[in-house]
Amino acid sequence: MNSTTTLQPPQPPAGTDGPSPRTSREARTKTAVAVVAVLLVAVLLVAVLGLLGARALRAGGDDPGRPVPQSAAMETALGVRMSRVAVVGDGGLVTLSYVVLDVDKASRFQADTKHPPVLRSEARDGSTNRVSLMRQGHVNRAGATYYFVYQNTGGALRAGEDATIEYAGMRLEHVPVL
């Protein structure tokens, strides 16, 4: 049994000639205006949220465009270039990263476990020199990055602020804390 059903388009109500072309055009115009308005609101919402997100990141100190200052005197004496200070471990730890420039001098710097660099907050009276981890006994490579892990004693350093690194009478100031 094969049967074919043909659907007829809906017929206008009796006594009318159907929608006028003008009414149909007006309805399409209103729909188009509504769609454009919704899209415009969506674009504005995304733009505002993007700006707020960018502002929150900057306030958090995570500004990769801000360079770490350098000290030729420190680099010459220690054989390392300080490259980053970051609060990690839910605020309880701080890492001090450095790049080895001179292997012999860097090995002496790293072996000085009795006098680690002091990290001092520039925003308040707080500092830390309690190194939790100093990797020793390995061969340093020029150009490689190594780090110290400090206990963030009393929350001395906070992301978004600046710190000073002190070692053997030398100071490197205005280091951004990430």
Side-chain angles (χ1 to χ4, degrees):
M1 293 185 108
N2 234 351
S3 72
T4 305
T5 306
T6 306
L7 294 175
Q8 298 292 327
Q11 298 296 319
T16 65
D17 293 334
S20 72
R22 181 176 182 184
T23 306
S24 212
R25 192 175 328 128
E26 287 174 359
R28 284 192 307 261
T29 303
K30 286 181 182 178
T31 302
V33 168
V35 168
V36 168
V38 168
L39 289 174
L40 183 62
V41 168
V43 167
L44 288 173
L45 182 63
V46 168
V48 168
L49 291 176
L51 288 173
L52 291 175
R55 183 174 290 165
L57 282 176
R58 280 194 303 273
D62 198 9
D63 184 3
R66 187 168 166 224
V68 173
Q70 297 177 6
S71 167
M74 246 181 164
E75 291 174 10
T76 301
L78 306 178
V80 300
R81 175 178 294 139
M82 303 304 172
S83 59
R84 180 177 175 194
V85 174
V87 176
V88 297
D90 201 23
L93 300 172
V94 177
T95 59
L96 168 60
S97 300
Y98 57 92
V99 177
V100 171
L101 304 174
D102 180 305
V103 173
D104 293 330
K105 290 178 183 177
S107 295
R108 284 191 297 274
F109 164 69
Q110 192 174 40
D112 187 6
T113 59
K114 301 262 190 246
H115 307 98
V118 174
L119 305 179
R120 190 171 308 282
S121 171
E122 293 180 6
R124 75 187 69 70
D125 187 27
S127 66
T128 185
N129 65 350
R130 294 192 61 189
V131 176
S132 300
L133 176 66
M134 286 181 69
R135 187 174 173 199
Q136 299 172 13
H138 60 72
V139 177
N140 286 321
R141 291 187 338 242
T145 300
Y146 299 93
Y147 58 91
F148 297 130
V149 178
Y150 291 80
Q151 293 176 7
N152 194 8
T153 310
L157 299 177
R158 297 181 188 160
E161 298 178 346
D162 286 347
T164 296
I165 301 170
E166 299 174 350
Y167 182 79
M170 295 175 281
R171 297 169 51 97
L172 182 61
E173 298 178 328
H174 314 304
V175 177
V177 179
L178 303 179

